[in-house]
Amino acid sequence: MGPWSEKEAMTALGWMVLVPLLMAVAVLCVPQSAPRAPRLLTLTALGATLLLALRVFVGFESAPADADGYRMVTEIPGLGAPALGIRCRLGVDGLNVGLLLMGALVGLAAAACAREVQTRTKEFYFLLLLMVGGILGAFASLDLFFFYFFHELALVPTFLMIGLWGRGTDQAAVAYQMTLYLTAGALVALIGLIALYLQVPPELRTFDMPTLSRYFREHPLPPEVQGWIYPLLLFGFGVLVSLWPLHSWAPPGYAAAPTATAMVHAGVLKKFGLYGLLRVGQPWLPEAAADWAWVVAWLALGNLLYAGWAAMQQRDLGRLLGYASVAHMGFVFLGLAAGNAMGMTGAVVVMVAHGLLAAVSFALAGHLYQQTGTLEMGQMGGLARRMPFLGAALTMAALAGCGLPGFANFIGEVTVFLGAWQVPELRVVTVGGLWAALVVGAIYMLRAVRAILHGPPGIAGASGRDIEGGWERWPHAMLLAGLLFLGWLPQVLVGKVEPVAARMVQREPTGVLAPGLEVEGKALTFPAAAAEGRLREVDSVWTGDGGIRQGPGM
Amino acid sequence: MAGGVVHGLGKRDGAMKFEGLLWWILFLPLGAAVWITLRTLKNPGRSAALSIGAALASFVLAVIFWAANGWTTGQVSVSWWRIGSWTASFDLRVDPLSLLMLLVVTGVGSVIHIYSVGYMRGDPGYARYFACLSLFLFSMLGIVLAGNFLQMFVFWELVGVSSYLLIGHWFERPAAADAAKKAFLTNRLGDLGFLAGILVLQGVAGTLDFGRLEETWPEQVSALGATATVVGLLIFCGVVGKSAQFPLHVWLPDAMEGPTPVSALIHAATMVAAGVYLLCRVFFLFTPEALMVVAWTGGLTALLAASIAVQQNDIKRVLAYSTLSQLGYMVMGVGLGGPAAAMFHLVTHAFFKALLFLGAGSVICALHHEQNIWRMGGLWRRMPVTFWTFLVGTLALAGAWPLSGFFSKDALLAVAWGRSLPLFVLGVGVAVLTSFYMFRLVWVAFGGPARSEAAAHAAESPQGMLWPLRLLGVLSVVAGVIGIQPVLQAILPGLEGSHAASWWGRLMEPFHHAPVPAAAGLAALLIGVGLAWKGYAGGAEDPVPNRWPVLGRWLRDRFYLDELYEGTVIWFHDAWARVVAGVERWVLNGFCLGLVRGGTDLLGQSLRLLQSGNLQTYALVFVVGLALLLWWTLGG
């Protein structure tokens, strides 16, 4: 018995995940005599994936939602072990539809920017397809087992890619460090996931995530149990997202990785941990999530300010972008910690926006490395004259990175700030976030632009050429267009995410309600304050009609 | 933008005619910028035509809208993004204040667009320049038409970016690239306070819409207490950054590295005035305590900048510090409770300051980019149109009757006279200094003998650059009496007077209404002119460094404030960055990861000892292990 008793049809969603994986196998079979074939096959496959992802995204609202709110639910036959309760089921809801589209965009752009790989191209494209297929499957998965499996499938190739095709002198050591660190984090998260699975009574055990969600909603776990499982998930997934202080793998890893790997990892893979916390941690362990919110917030501050300051000191563009991507994750954690619909919606928007931004930044850095042989910013200079397209694109990416309105990052960040400000305990952290976003972010990004693009020409780049012609420019243009589109028409994404976020929060016992929910004359409290017996005054409450009512203090 | 909702909110009127025109006015310049960037970067002529066309079209449409509706009030709203019941909306707000500003921005903007054709001829980045100029116009119009704080902030930042791109137009020059970076970062410091203020405001008032705030704020102020003052001060932070008030004024003089039309448009007439515009827009938000801070900040800036201008030798720097000083005047006016007077001065200042900058540009062009006034001289004969228009601009700035500057400066002085004697005295002092340094500039740059080869062979600029000068000259003369005051008087406090119908009545108005400030202003003008004449007419070098060397040096080196910034703000961030880098290297990577690596290694080494290859050892371990196992299962 179960909601999947009938075979569910293969939909666009199913093909979207399968196509890269199947094509990966096909690429392995390409003979040595066709050196350009792997790249062409990869681009075709990922192009098809992008079209399918667009179909899913555009058709999202019109697709019917099942009882748990998922649409386009698909089961991929043949994978899984039904006897153990493992089925490869995929579905979309507001949370992952944006991430899937972003993943497909970044995957295609990454394949297009993998021109630098000239040796053993077959193996490289095989690994790239595994990465993209794996992470798309992880985002779309409705089964706990495949959720984890697909992520590992996407993660392991990074080890090989950095080790074999990486840059710099010690890429093997960096590959080891990064992979071991990330795998350790994934292991800790796995322990948490297994612990959650085991909390369900044996006769009801299943790996199906919607069923588990429903179970945990109806039978919430006791706070003590939540109290030790949640940290496992938080820190395990946190490592994957470079939560401070578990971020040390990121800067050297991204500096040493080949362009395509850095794009897909920083853009897409990194978001998996946050997605896990939003999909599993927050709804299944709500009390623990609320209790740990202040820890998450202060660690987020560490991401924002610490990584931002570290970025200021970097002389290597790859490491600077690595630290910058660590810093941006702070916004998502802050939104998570806010625990209200605005915070969570903003967090998801930041995830999608940052994915596109990281991809285009690393793509441009990759081109610079190819043309000048170095990423030392001190040796560059005046490149905007020789490379106008790269200059324009890098300037736009830098400005998007410091939260300039007009790009999607601003929408996400401002929503996170507005959401976090509603929670009085998080105000100090929010101010720190403002400072990190507006000032520190601008300092290191503009210094980078000044060093690379402006001023008199430097040693490097005397002979480099620009990103020329439509064939080379389209991935960067595509990613920047995505950022601009979401920056000016954010409702396209926000409209999908917001209902899910609101629903997740409604069941929160924290007392900070999603805007739009009635209060019925009760005073709002924050759990800690209530526990102390004091009731706090909340500044304002939004009622359904958009007016305000002052929170009564007692 | 989902779900267009068009309605005419407002205190007075219902729906407005031709509401759609507002969207065209706002987005035509953006369209030009995008089209130029994507299609015509290689075609300078077409790029210029597109950009100028968009600017002129916006101006014409603005005039049509104004002619059809008069000084009306209304708002066009579209929902931008929604979360629950909170909506970020995109509003185009029309009221006399924004209409006036709309006309000024599009009008002066169009004039400067046309002037740029001549000034930037031959520049390799010609097309890029016009694309950025159009982007700027779009952003500035967004500020003027913004109907809520979030939208205002969006366009606030966009204007900052346009400024960054334009100051750094000649990016290969280190000075220009550094100046652009400095401008953006200094503005960002102000924006930090601005955004924090927006968050607080959303929290306490529940709305960011200007119209709704104006209705609900007065009731809330008494309940909010100190928070209301804090909100005002945080919003003022944004103004301090954008309008270059002390202590965030350091970016404006450096911004002169950009092309002169940019300095005229952005750093004199419009962008820097955006701060004053915002202050007038949300004047109701400020408590008396906040207004006091505002007034003294403005006054201090005015005095500081005017003093520094006295000893500057670069023609654009003198004008830059003059702009700083006049902005200080305007901010002081708002702080003293006279936002209408401040707006009036903003409008007249836009005309004569743009005129002065464009005139300076004409000189710079004619002298092959010479900007030091001590290498000019004798230009009054060789460049007559430039000279006479520049003189008109100077007289207007110094407050000579009956030019526009007299009326607006008098309005500000009148407000000060009525509210605060110290600030009135400060204002009159600044007027003396203003007159002094401006006429110093005129005598040295245009008068006396030619002091360099370039000056000796200077020729008048082409007509394309002269007609804007003539037009702005006319506006600088008449703007005081063409009827701006009544419009402002109706919507904001601070301008009094009956505004007689007859021309003579209007010209004599200030003397009847507030004779002391009017007389003081004129006296300041004459004193300044006299001192400048004594010191500089016909001289070959500046007498101040010889007579008062220490004072001269402090003034010339801008009171060492830039160096102070270097030493504190920049140093602070760099120090923290070094600490963090150290922690990264030694603690996290070195110690923690080292611990993990070392620990794993140690574990591996010790376990390896068990694999000794020695049969006896294996037998021993086997027996010991068995014994332990038995003890555990059977015993304890």
Side-chain angles (χ1 to χ4, degrees):
Chain A
M1 209 229 108
W4 54 82
S5 41
E6 331 82 23
K7 220 40 172 344
E8 278 143 339
M10 273 298 281
T11 60
L13 185 63
W15 285 115
M16 190 175 83
V17 172
L18 270 186
V19 162
L21 296 172
L22 291 174
M23 191 57 90
V25 175
V27 162
L28 267 187
C29 304
V30 164
Q32 282 294 92
S33 56
R36 299 233 304 266
R39 182 176 166 77
L40 285 169
L41 284 175
T42 308
L43 285 172
T44 317
L46 291 176
T49 310
L50 177 59
L51 288 170
L52 290 165
L54 278 168
R55 162 92 181 70
V56 169
F57 190 81
V58 170
F60 180 79
E61 266 99 6
S62 46
D66 72 4
D68 301 297
Y70 293 97
R71 301 169 202 243
M72 299 189 195
V73 180
T74 312
E75 180 171 345
I76 298 188
L79 293 173
L84 294 170
I86 303 175
R87 284 167 202 270
C88 183
R89 287 182 81 226
L90 311 169
V92 279
D93 71 350
L95 216 51
N96 58 10
V97 68
L99 294 169
L100 286 169
L101 181 60
M102 183 263 290
L105 275 168
V106 171
L108 181 58
C113 291
R115 218 177 289 262
E116 62 187 357
V117 172
Q118 295 296 332
T119 59
R120 298 164 88 166
T121 55
K122 207 168 73 164
E123 285 81 0
F124 185 84
Y125 286 107
F126 165 70
L127 291 171
L128 186 63
L129 283 165
L130 275 188
M131 268 182 95
V132 179
I135 196 60
L136 289 177
F139 282 141
S141 177
L142 291 181
D143 181 282
L144 202 58
F145 177 84
F146 278 102
F147 174 73
Y148 191 82
F149 169 78
F150 275 127
H151 174 254
E152 291 299 302
L153 185 65
L155 189 57
V156 170
T158 56
F159 173 65
L160 291 167
M161 285 161 119
I162 299 179
L164 293 173
W165 292 277
R167 302 181 199 138
T169 46
D170 60 346
Q171 74 257 44
V174 171
Y176 272 109
Q177 179 184 306
M178 178 160 153
T179 312
L180 287 175
Y181 208 143
L182 289 174
T183 312
L187 179 66
V188 171
L190 179 64
I191 298 176
L193 290 174
I194 294 177
L196 274 172
Y197 175 78
L198 290 175
Q199 296 302 320
V200 181
E203 61 277 7
L204 293 174
R205 270 189 203 149
T206 173
F207 283 95
D208 185 61
M209 282 160 69
T211 316
L212 287 171
S213 274
R214 236 179 301 129
Y215 175 81
F216 286 117
R217 239 192 343 262
E218 284 148 22
H219 313 93
L221 292 172
E224 320 81 56
V225 177
Q226 286 194 33
W228 65 264
I229 299 185
Y230 189 76
L232 288 172
L233 289 181
L234 177 64
F235 291 109
F237 283 134
V239 170
L240 298 176
V241 194
S242 66
L243 176 67
W244 189 85
L246 308 163
H247 64 278
S248 309
W249 55 268
Y254 291 143
T259 309
T261 311
M263 285 168 75
V264 178
H265 195 285
V268 199
L269 254 74
K270 220 178 189 191
K271 314 298 180 292
F272 173 78
L274 289 159
Y275 176 70
L277 283 173
L278 280 172
R279 181 65 89 202
V280 173
Q282 188 89 359
W284 299 8
L285 305 167
E287 276 92 5
D291 288 335
W292 281 83
W294 69 273
V295 174
V296 174
W298 283 97
L299 293 180
L301 193 63
N303 271 71
L304 288 165
L305 285 179
Y306 181 96
W309 279 323
M312 274 173 60
Q313 276 291 95
Q314 300 306 312
R315 299 279 159 263
D316 176 291
L317 182 61
R319 291 184 71 106
L320 185 143
L321 291 175
Y323 275 109
S325 75
V326 172
H328 276 106
M329 294 300 103
F331 294 117
V332 190
F333 279 113
L334 184 59
L336 202 68
N340 50 31
M342 278 196 91
M344 306 239 205
T345 311
V348 176
V349 174
V350 173
M351 281 204 269
V352 173
H354 179 259
L356 297 172
L357 175 68
V360 79
S361 309
F362 281 110
L364 293 169
H367 177 87
L368 273 173
Y369 185 78
Q370 264 187 287
Q371 294 301 315
T372 66
T374 176
L375 284 179
E376 277 291 308
M377 297 193 286
Q379 293 182 357
M380 302 185 201
L383 285 178
R385 178 65 66 200
R386 283 193 75 84
M387 307 185 184
F389 179 82
L390 180 128
L394 191 60
T395 309
M396 285 171 82
L399 291 169
C402 48
L404 189 75
F407 294 101
N409 307 72
F410 169 75
I411 307 285
E413 285 167 23
V414 98
T415 311
V416 163
F417 289 142
L418 282 166
W421 191 262
Q422 292 180 304
V423 182
E425 279 74 3
L426 295 183
R427 283 187 180 158
V428 174
V429 178
T430 309
V431 171
L434 282 179
W435 182 16
L438 288 177
V439 181
V440 181
I443 292 181
Y444 62 74
M445 283 326 255
L446 286 192
R447 272 194 190 169
V449 169
R450 169 74 179 85
I452 299 174
L453 299 176
H454 295 167
I459 318 166
S463 55
R465 64 168 180 78
D466 195 14
I467 305 176
E468 275 151 18
W471 282 120
E472 286 190 21
R473 288 183 181 179
W474 67 266
H476 313 90
M478 182 176 74
L479 293 168
L480 285 170
L483 279 172
L484 284 168
F485 182 80
L486 285 178
W488 286 101
L489 300 174
Q491 186 61 23
V492 168
L493 178 61
V494 171
K496 299 181 169 67
V497 176
E498 190 263 323
V500 178
R503 218 173 338 124
M504 262 199 307
V505 164
Q506 221 166 11
R507 292 169 177 89
E508 279 281 320
T510 58
V512 180
L513 301 179
L517 297 179
E518 294 289 321
V519 174
E520 309 295 339
K522 270 168 64 172
L524 294 183
T525 69
F526 209 74
E532 291 170 69
R534 275 187 302 119
L535 295 179
R536 292 261 199 89
E537 186 173 88
V538 175
D539 287 325
S540 68
V541 148
W542 294 316
T543 57
D545 63 1
I548 57 157
R549 187 160 55 218
Q550 294 293 342
M554 295 189 198
Chain B
M1 309 186 203
V5 172
V6 172
H7 54 270
L9 280 180
K11 296 189 276 221
R12 279 169 279 228
D13 306 323
M16 306 178 285
K17 293 199 268 266
F18 302 132
E19 277 167 344
L21 280 184
L22 292 170
W23 294 104
W24 286 102
I25 295 173
L26 177 62
F27 280 101
L28 270 175
L30 178 66
V34 171
W35 193 263
I36 296 174
T37 311
L38 293 178
R39 307 287 302 213
T40 65
L41 274 178
K42 299 267 179 9
N43 188 335
R46 196 171 297 177
S47 305
L50 272 171
S51 181
I52 296 175
L56 278 173
S58 289
F59 176 64
V60 167
L61 291 176
V63 170
I64 293 177
F65 183 87
W66 169 66
N69 287 293
W71 299 106
T72 182
T73 300
Q75 183 159 304
V76 176
S77 284
V78 157
S79 155
W80 200 9
W81 81 93
R82 260 190 320 272
I83 302 186
S85 63
W86 179 84
T87 309
S89 76
F90 202 91
D91 308 317
L92 297 181
R93 184 173 178 78
V94 171
D95 61 10
L97 187 62
S98 69
L99 267 179
L100 180 63
M101 197 68 180
L102 195 65
L103 291 169
V104 170
V105 169
T106 49
V108 175
S110 304
V111 165
I112 295 181
H113 272 70
I114 296 172
Y115 178 93
S116 300
V117 172
Y119 191 86
M120 299 294 288
R121 179 160 296 142
D123 189 284
Y126 193 82
R128 178 169 50 97
Y129 170 86
F130 275 103
C132 293
L133 212 60
S134 287
L135 179 68
F136 168 77
L137 192 60
F138 161 70
S139 314
M140 190 65 212
L141 291 173
I143 288 186
V144 171
L145 291 169
N148 62 62
F149 265 111
L150 186 61
Q151 195 187 344
M152 174 71 84
F153 184 78
V154 166
F155 285 103
W156 200 260
E157 293 274 299
L158 285 178
V159 149
V161 156
S162 314
S163 171
Y164 169 75
L165 292 172
L166 283 165
I167 296 174
H169 177 77
W170 292 311
F171 54 80
E172 275 141 323
R173 292 200 359 221
D178 289 332
K181 186 168 64 116
K182 186 174 180 179
F184 193 79
L185 291 178
T186 316
N187 263 282
R188 272 284 169 111
L189 281 175
D191 294 347
L192 177 60
F194 192 11
L195 190 54
I198 291 178
L199 291 181
V200 176
L201 195 56
Q202 169 73 67
V204 304
T207 176
L208 293 173
D209 181 83
F210 291 149
R212 256 206 294 212
L213 276 173
E214 198 165 355
E215 285 158 27
T216 60
W217 188 255
E219 300 120 44
Q220 295 180 315
V221 170
S222 39
L224 287 171
T227 313
T229 307
V230 168
V231 165
L233 288 177
L234 285 174
I235 304 287
F236 184 56
C237 283
V239 174
V240 169
K242 192 65 69 189
S243 290
Q245 300 297 297
F246 179 83
L248 294 178
H249 64 282
V250 291
W251 66 270
L252 189 56
D254 284 23
M256 298 299 115
E257 293 289 335
T260 308
V262 167
S263 307
L265 180 60
I266 300 187
H267 304 125
T270 50
M271 184 181 97
V272 291
V276 180
Y277 176 74
L278 176 65
L279 279 178
C280 296
R281 247 256 177 276
V282 293
F283 181 67
F284 55 84
L285 216 54
F286 291 89
T287 58
E289 293 82 15
L291 284 178
M292 196 167 67
V293 173
V294 170
W296 280 97
T297 307
L300 185 58
T301 306
L303 185 60
L304 180 73
S307 321
I308 298 178
V310 163
Q311 274 294 288
Q312 296 304 306
N313 297 322
D314 177 318
I315 189 172
K316 283 178 70 173
R317 296 258 160 158
V318 176
L319 293 176
Y321 280 102
S322 169
T323 305
L324 272 178
S325 176
Q326 296 302 304
L327 287 169
Y329 249 169
M330 292 179 223
V331 170
M332 184 177 85
V334 174
L336 288 168
M343 270 307 293
F344 184 30
H345 196 59
L346 194 160
V347 173
T348 60
H349 177 263
F351 297 143
F352 56 68
K353 196 42 80 54
L355 168 60
L356 286 169
F357 266 107
L358 294 188
S362 173
V363 168
I364 291 172
C365 235
L367 266 57
H368 310 297
H369 291 276
E370 174 61 69
Q371 292 183 206
N372 187 331
I373 56 177
W374 295 100
R375 288 204 273 274
M376 300 179 185
L379 295 176
W380 69 282
R381 227 188 293 242
R382 304 193 69 86
M383 304 178 70
V385 178
T386 304
F387 169 66
W388 285 106
T389 51
F390 199 90
L391 189 60
V392 165
T394 305
L395 284 168
L397 173 54
W401 183 86
L403 274 57
S404 59
F406 167 76
F407 292 94
S408 58
K409 190 175 288 198
D410 175 73
L412 286 169
L413 288 175
V415 171
W417 174 246
R419 311 286 169 95
S420 163
L421 193 55
L423 284 174
F424 173 73
V425 171
L426 191 149
V428 174
V430 172
V432 173
L433 285 173
T434 305
S435 169
F436 176 69
Y437 66 67
M438 281 312 294
F439 279 97
R440 166 181 179 267
L441 179 62
V442 171
W443 302 148
V444 172
F446 289 94
R451 282 183 225 98
S452 73
E453 273 305 302
H457 295 112
E460 185 61 277
S461 298
Q463 288 298 320
M465 287 167 70
L466 292 182
W467 276 106
L469 294 179
R470 294 187 182 107
L471 179 59
L472 288 171
V474 169
L475 283 170
S476 301
V477 172
V478 303
V481 289
I482 52 175
I484 300 179
Q485 289 100 307
V487 174
L488 288 169
Q489 201 175 354
I491 47 169
L492 288 169
L495 272 179
E496 270 100 57
S498 54
H499 300 295
S502 75
W503 283 100
W504 185 249
R506 276 192 240 182
L507 284 171
M508 296 304 290
E509 173 72 45
F511 298 104
H512 294 147
H513 169 237
V516 174
L522 282 177
L525 164 71
L526 293 169
I527 297 174
V529 174
L531 286 174
W533 180 269
K534 210 166 94 111
Y536 292 96
E541 58 162 28
D542 200 326
V544 171
N546 296 329
R547 300 270 290 277
W548 302 286
V550 175
L551 180 66
R553 192 157 29 89
W554 271 77
L555 292 179
R556 200 170 41 250
D557 293 339
R558 306 172 311 272
F559 291 108
Y560 300 106
L561 281 166
D562 291 80
E563 286 76 6
L564 188 67
Y565 267 98
E566 230 18 72
T568 50
V569 176
I570 313 293
W571 178 86
F572 172 78
H573 275 96
D574 277 326
W576 270 113
R578 270 196 295 277
V579 167
V580 161
V583 171
E584 275 294 284
R585 222 170 116 195
W586 299 111
V587 177
L588 287 181
N589 281 346
F591 184 67
C592 297
L593 288 185
L595 211 60
V596 170
R597 254 181 259 125
T600 320
D601 241 0
L602 196 64
L603 190 61
Q605 295 283 4
S606 17
L607 284 176
R608 193 180 65 81
L609 290 173
L610 285 174
Q611 310 295 326
S612 63
N614 187 325
L615 209 53
Q616 287 90 316
T617 319
Y618 288 163
L620 179 63
V621 172
F622 179 69
V623 167
V624 169
L626 194 59
L628 276 174
L629 207 59
L630 286 172
W631 174 80
W632 181 52
T633 43
L634 301 176

